[in-house]
Amino acid sequence: DAGVIQSPRHEVTEMGQEVTLRCKPISGHNSLFWYRQTMMRGLELLIYFNNNVPIDDSGMPEDRFSAKMPNASFSTLKIQPSEPRDSAVYFCASVERGNNEQFFGPGTRLTVL
Amino acid sequence: QQPVQSPQAVILREGEDAVINCSSSKALYSVHWYRQKHGEAPVFLMILLKGGEQKGHDKISASFNEKKQQSSLYLTASQLSYSGTYFCGTGPPGGYQKVTFGTGTKLQVIP
């Protein structure tokens, strides 16, 4: 199994630009989580999906952030417009139905200049 | 609310033991433990679902004290490969779905 796949691995953009992060969960997993990790705030849950449906987006910082999961094998996290304080590592994780172990992707390191 | 971990950082020599604590101000239903090596993604270690439960594999084990709203991770006879940041996470009844992670404990094992 390839594990959770995220792209891009690194993204450098300028303030005001739109950024789209992508995630492919492990096949057969029905829950997907988006996290943001910074030194100051640690590992924060932004949003999670169950069976492609958003269940809890209370961690999404602002309206500038949006996430979609159009099908079981793909999810996006979009930031529009991006700001320097959005700089962080963004992780996607997936979980198999009935299980507890979260499998994390390698992360996307986002730098907003 | 984010669980609190202690200590924030610890340095061990190979073969020494360590304990990492995780405390919550709210009732604990489940405790998840993950390890993240530098520049890598977090990796699942174990989950405890019941008060009084203890688990372990290799020389890493954990306990869950429901009444005290805390969990402890025990690393015995530490190896260089144990280096990394350890996160505890608290979850709802049943364990899965939304997990709130602590700020982490950075562990460094030196020869």
Short mmCIF file of all heavy atoms in Angstrom, two decimals, chain B residues 64-102:
data_model
loop_
_atom_site.label_atom_id
_atom_site.label_comp_id
_atom_site.label_asym_id
_atom_site.label_seq_id
_atom_site.Cartn_x
_atom_site.Cartn_y
_atom_site.Cartn_z
N PHE B 64 -3.54 4.41 31.71
CA PHE B 64 -4.63 5.38 31.59
C PHE B 64 -5.35 5.42 32.93
O PHE B 64 -5.97 4.44 33.34
CB PHE B 64 -5.56 4.91 30.47
CG PHE B 64 -6.78 5.77 30.23
CD1 PHE B 64 -6.92 7.03 30.79
CD2 PHE B 64 -7.80 5.30 29.41
CE1 PHE B 64 -8.04 7.80 30.54
CE2 PHE B 64 -8.92 6.07 29.15
CZ PHE B 64 -9.06 7.32 29.72
N ASN B 65 -5.25 6.54 33.63
CA ASN B 65 -5.93 6.73 34.90
C ASN B 65 -7.11 7.64 34.67
O ASN B 65 -6.97 8.87 34.61
CB ASN B 65 -4.97 7.31 35.95
CG ASN B 65 -5.56 7.30 37.34
OD1 ASN B 65 -6.76 7.56 37.51
ND2 ASN B 65 -4.74 7.02 38.33
N GLU B 66 -8.26 7.04 34.52
CA GLU B 66 -9.47 7.79 34.18
C GLU B 66 -9.85 8.79 35.27
O GLU B 66 -10.24 9.93 34.98
CB GLU B 66 -10.61 6.79 33.99
CG GLU B 66 -11.84 7.33 33.31
CD GLU B 66 -12.83 6.22 33.07
OE1 GLU B 66 -12.76 5.18 33.77
OE2 GLU B 66 -13.67 6.36 32.18
N LYS B 67 -9.72 8.37 36.52
CA LYS B 67 -10.13 9.24 37.63
C LYS B 67 -9.25 10.48 37.72
O LYS B 67 -9.72 11.58 38.01
CB LYS B 67 -10.08 8.47 38.94
CG LYS B 67 -11.19 7.45 39.09
CD LYS B 67 -11.15 6.78 40.45
CE LYS B 67 -12.28 5.77 40.60
NZ LYS B 67 -12.25 5.08 41.91
N LYS B 68 -7.97 10.29 37.49
CA LYS B 68 -7.05 11.41 37.55
C LYS B 68 -7.00 12.17 36.23
O LYS B 68 -6.30 13.19 36.13
CB LYS B 68 -5.64 10.93 37.92
CG LYS B 68 -5.52 10.42 39.35
CD LYS B 68 -4.07 10.09 39.66
CE LYS B 68 -3.94 9.61 41.12
NZ LYS B 68 -2.53 9.27 41.45
N GLN B 69 -7.71 11.68 35.23
CA GLN B 69 -7.75 12.33 33.91
C GLN B 69 -6.34 12.46 33.35
O GLN B 69 -5.96 13.55 32.87
CB GLN B 69 -8.46 13.70 34.00
CG GLN B 69 -9.92 13.58 34.39
CD GLN B 69 -10.60 14.91 34.58
OE1 GLN B 69 -11.72 14.95 35.07
NE2 GLN B 69 -9.98 16.01 34.21
N GLN B 70 -5.59 11.40 33.44
CA GLN B 70 -4.24 11.46 32.91
C GLN B 70 -3.77 10.11 32.38
O GLN B 70 -4.33 9.06 32.73
CB GLN B 70 -3.26 11.98 33.96
CG GLN B 70 -3.06 11.06 35.14
CD GLN B 70 -2.13 11.68 36.19
OE1 GLN B 70 -2.13 12.90 36.38
NE2 GLN B 70 -1.36 10.85 36.87
N SER B 71 -2.77 10.19 31.54
CA SER B 71 -2.14 8.99 30.99
C SER B 71 -0.63 9.19 31.05
O SER B 71 -0.14 10.32 31.04
CB SER B 71 -2.59 8.77 29.54
OG SER B 71 -1.91 7.69 28.96
N SER B 72 0.08 8.08 31.13
CA SER B 72 1.53 8.14 31.15
C SER B 72 2.09 7.17 30.13
O SER B 72 1.55 6.07 29.96
CB SER B 72 2.08 7.82 32.54
OG SER B 72 1.67 8.77 33.49
N LEU B 73 3.15 7.59 29.46
CA LEU B 73 3.86 6.75 28.49
C LEU B 73 5.21 6.40 29.10
O LEU B 73 5.93 7.29 29.56
CB LEU B 73 4.05 7.49 27.18
CG LEU B 73 4.64 6.69 26.02
CD1 LEU B 73 3.61 5.68 25.49
CD2 LEU B 73 5.08 7.61 24.89
N TYR B 74 5.52 5.12 29.13
CA TYR B 74 6.76 4.64 29.75
C TYR B 74 7.68 4.09 28.67
O TYR B 74 7.28 3.23 27.88
CB TYR B 74 6.46 3.53 30.76
CG TYR B 74 5.44 3.91 31.80
CD1 TYR B 74 4.09 3.63 31.61
CD2 TYR B 74 5.81 4.55 32.98
CE1 TYR B 74 3.14 3.97 32.56
CE2 TYR B 74 4.88 4.90 33.93
CZ TYR B 74 3.54 4.61 33.72
OH TYR B 74 2.61 4.96 34.67
N LEU B 75 8.89 4.60 28.66
CA LEU B 75 9.91 4.09 27.73
C LEU B 75 11.03 3.50 28.58
O LEU B 75 11.66 4.21 29.36
CB LEU B 75 10.45 5.21 26.84
CG LEU B 75 9.41 5.90 25.96
CD1 LEU B 75 8.95 7.21 26.56
CD2 LEU B 75 9.96 6.14 24.56
N THR B 76 11.25 2.21 28.43
CA THR B 76 12.28 1.55 29.24
C THR B 76 13.44 1.13 28.35
O THR B 76 13.26 0.81 27.18
CB THR B 76 11.70 0.32 29.94
OG1 THR B 76 11.16 -0.58 28.97
CG2 THR B 76 10.60 0.71 30.91
N ALA B 77 14.62 1.17 28.95
CA ALA B 77 15.84 0.79 28.24
C ALA B 77 15.88 1.47 26.88
O ALA B 77 15.94 0.81 25.83
CB ALA B 77 15.93 -0.73 28.10
N SER B 78 15.83 2.79 26.90
CA SER B 78 15.66 3.56 25.66
C SER B 78 16.76 3.26 24.63
O SER B 78 17.90 2.97 24.97
CB SER B 78 15.65 5.05 25.98
OG SER B 78 16.83 5.44 26.63
N GLN B 79 16.33 3.35 23.37
CA GLN B 79 17.23 3.13 22.23
C GLN B 79 17.32 4.43 21.44
O GLN B 79 16.44 5.29 21.55
CB GLN B 79 16.68 2.02 21.35
CG GLN B 79 16.36 0.73 22.08
CD GLN B 79 15.53 -0.22 21.24
OE1 GLN B 79 15.42 -0.08 20.03
NE2 GLN B 79 14.94 -1.21 21.90
N LEU B 80 18.35 4.55 20.64
CA LEU B 80 18.51 5.76 19.82
C LEU B 80 17.27 6.00 18.96
O LEU B 80 16.88 7.13 18.70
CB LEU B 80 19.75 5.64 18.94
CG LEU B 80 21.09 5.59 19.66
CD1 LEU B 80 22.23 5.37 18.67
CD2 LEU B 80 21.33 6.86 20.48
N SER B 81 16.65 4.91 18.51
CA SER B 81 15.49 5.02 17.63
C SER B 81 14.26 5.60 18.32
O SER B 81 13.28 5.94 17.67
CB SER B 81 15.14 3.64 17.05
OG SER B 81 14.80 2.75 18.10
N TYR B 82 14.32 5.72 19.63
CA TYR B 82 13.18 6.29 20.35
C TYR B 82 13.15 7.82 20.26
O TYR B 82 12.16 8.44 20.64
CB TYR B 82 13.22 5.90 21.83
CG TYR B 82 12.87 4.45 22.11
CD1 TYR B 82 12.54 3.56 21.11
CD2 TYR B 82 12.88 3.97 23.43
CE1 TYR B 82 12.23 2.24 21.38
CE2 TYR B 82 12.56 2.66 23.71
CZ TYR B 82 12.24 1.79 22.68
OH TYR B 82 11.93 0.49 22.98
N SER B 83 14.19 8.41 19.78
CA SER B 83 14.23 9.88 19.69
C SER B 83 13.10 10.39 18.81
O SER B 83 12.78 9.80 17.79
CB SER B 83 15.58 10.33 19.11
OG SER B 83 16.63 10.03 20.00
N GLY B 84 12.53 11.50 19.23
CA GLY B 84 11.43 12.10 18.48
C GLY B 84 10.55 12.90 19.42
O GLY B 84 10.85 13.04 20.61
N THR B 85 9.45 13.39 18.88
CA THR B 85 8.49 14.11 19.69
C THR B 85 7.28 13.22 19.91
O THR B 85 6.72 12.68 18.95
CB THR B 85 8.07 15.43 19.02
OG1 THR B 85 9.23 16.25 18.85
CG2 THR B 85 7.06 16.18 19.90
N TYR B 86 6.89 13.08 21.15
CA TYR B 86 5.76 12.22 21.51
C TYR B 86 4.54 13.09 21.80
O TYR B 86 4.60 14.04 22.58
CB TYR B 86 6.11 11.37 22.74
CG TYR B 86 7.12 10.30 22.42
CD1 TYR B 86 8.48 10.61 22.30
CD2 TYR B 86 6.74 8.98 22.20
CE1 TYR B 86 9.42 9.64 21.98
CE2 TYR B 86 7.67 7.99 21.88
CZ TYR B 86 9.00 8.34 21.77
OH TYR B 86 9.92 7.37 21.44
N PHE B 87 3.44 12.72 21.17
CA PHE B 87 2.19 13.45 21.35
C PHE B 87 1.16 12.54 21.99
O PHE B 87 0.99 11.39 21.57
CB PHE B 87 1.63 13.92 20.00
CG PHE B 87 2.44 14.98 19.33
CD1 PHE B 87 3.37 14.65 18.35
CD2 PHE B 87 2.28 16.32 19.66
CE1 PHE B 87 4.12 15.62 17.71
CE2 PHE B 87 3.02 17.30 19.02
CZ PHE B 87 3.95 16.94 18.05
N CYS B 88 0.45 13.07 22.96
CA CYS B 88 -0.75 12.39 23.40
C CYS B 88 -1.93 13.11 22.78
O CYS B 88 -1.86 14.29 22.45
CB CYS B 88 -0.87 12.36 24.92
SG CYS B 88 -1.28 13.94 25.69
N GLY B 89 -3.01 12.40 22.62
CA GLY B 89 -4.22 12.98 22.07
C GLY B 89 -5.41 12.45 22.83
O GLY B 89 -5.41 11.28 23.25
N THR B 90 -6.37 13.29 23.02
CA THR B 90 -7.58 12.85 23.72
C THR B 90 -8.73 12.81 22.74
O THR B 90 -8.86 13.68 21.87
CB THR B 90 -7.91 13.80 24.88
OG1 THR B 90 -8.03 15.14 24.37
CG2 THR B 90 -6.81 13.77 25.92
N GLY B 91 -9.54 11.79 22.88
CA GLY B 91 -10.64 11.60 21.94
C GLY B 91 -11.95 11.36 22.65
O GLY B 91 -11.99 11.20 23.86
N PRO B 92 -13.00 11.29 21.89
CA PRO B 92 -14.34 11.08 22.45
C PRO B 92 -14.54 9.62 22.84
O PRO B 92 -13.66 8.79 22.56
CB PRO B 92 -15.25 11.47 21.29
CG PRO B 92 -14.46 11.12 20.08
CD PRO B 92 -13.02 11.39 20.43
N PRO B 93 -15.66 9.27 23.44
CA PRO B 93 -15.94 7.86 23.73
C PRO B 93 -15.84 7.01 22.48
O PRO B 93 -16.27 7.43 21.40
CB PRO B 93 -17.39 7.90 24.25
CG PRO B 93 -17.56 9.27 24.78
CD PRO B 93 -16.72 10.16 23.92
N GLY B 94 -15.20 5.89 22.58
CA GLY B 94 -15.02 5.05 21.39
C GLY B 94 -13.64 5.22 20.80
O GLY B 94 -13.16 4.34 20.10
N GLY B 95 -13.03 6.36 21.04
CA GLY B 95 -11.63 6.53 20.66
C GLY B 95 -11.37 7.19 19.34
O GLY B 95 -10.41 7.92 19.20
N TYR B 96 -12.21 6.95 18.36
CA TYR B 96 -11.84 7.44 17.04
C TYR B 96 -12.45 8.81 16.77
O TYR B 96 -12.92 9.48 17.65
CB TYR B 96 -12.25 6.45 15.95
CG TYR B 96 -13.60 5.81 16.14
CD1 TYR B 96 -14.75 6.41 15.65
CD2 TYR B 96 -13.72 4.61 16.81
CE1 TYR B 96 -15.97 5.83 15.83
CE2 TYR B 96 -14.95 4.01 16.99
CZ TYR B 96 -16.08 4.62 16.49
OH TYR B 96 -17.29 4.04 16.67
N GLN B 97 -12.39 9.22 15.55
CA GLN B 97 -12.86 10.52 15.14
C GLN B 97 -11.99 11.62 15.74
O GLN B 97 -10.81 11.54 15.76
CB GLN B 97 -14.35 10.71 15.47
CG GLN B 97 -15.25 9.62 14.93
CD GLN B 97 -15.12 9.44 13.43
OE1 GLN B 97 -14.73 10.34 12.69
NE2 GLN B 97 -15.41 8.24 12.94
N LYS B 98 -12.60 12.66 16.27
CA LYS B 98 -11.88 13.87 16.61
C LYS B 98 -10.89 13.67 17.76
O LYS B 98 -11.28 13.29 18.87
CB LYS B 98 -12.88 14.96 16.99
CG LYS B 98 -12.27 16.32 17.22
CD LYS B 98 -13.36 17.35 17.40
CE LYS B 98 -12.76 18.73 17.58
NZ LYS B 98 -13.83 19.76 17.66
N VAL B 99 -9.62 13.91 17.48
CA VAL B 99 -8.56 13.78 18.49
C VAL B 99 -7.93 15.15 18.68
O VAL B 99 -7.56 15.81 17.71
CB VAL B 99 -7.50 12.76 18.05
CG1 VAL B 99 -6.35 12.72 19.06
CG2 VAL B 99 -8.12 11.38 17.91
N THR B 100 -7.80 15.55 19.94
CA THR B 100 -7.13 16.81 20.26
C THR B 100 -5.75 16.48 20.81
O THR B 100 -5.64 15.81 21.85
CB THR B 100 -7.93 17.61 21.30
OG1 THR B 100 -9.24 17.85 20.78
CG2 THR B 100 -7.26 18.95 21.59
N PHE B 101 -4.71 16.95 20.13
CA PHE B 101 -3.35 16.60 20.50
C PHE B 101 -2.75 17.59 21.49
O PHE B 101 -3.04 18.80 21.45
CB PHE B 101 -2.47 16.52 19.26
CG PHE B 101 -2.69 15.28 18.43
CD1 PHE B 101 -3.50 15.33 17.31
CD2 PHE B 101 -2.09 14.08 18.78
CE1 PHE B 101 -3.72 14.19 16.55
CE2 PHE B 101 -2.31 12.94 18.02
CZ PHE B 101 -3.13 12.99 16.90
N GLY B 102 -1.89 17.07 22.36
CA GLY B 102 -1.12 17.91 23.26
C GLY B 102 0.02 18.58 22.51
O GLY B 102 0.21 18.36 21.32
#
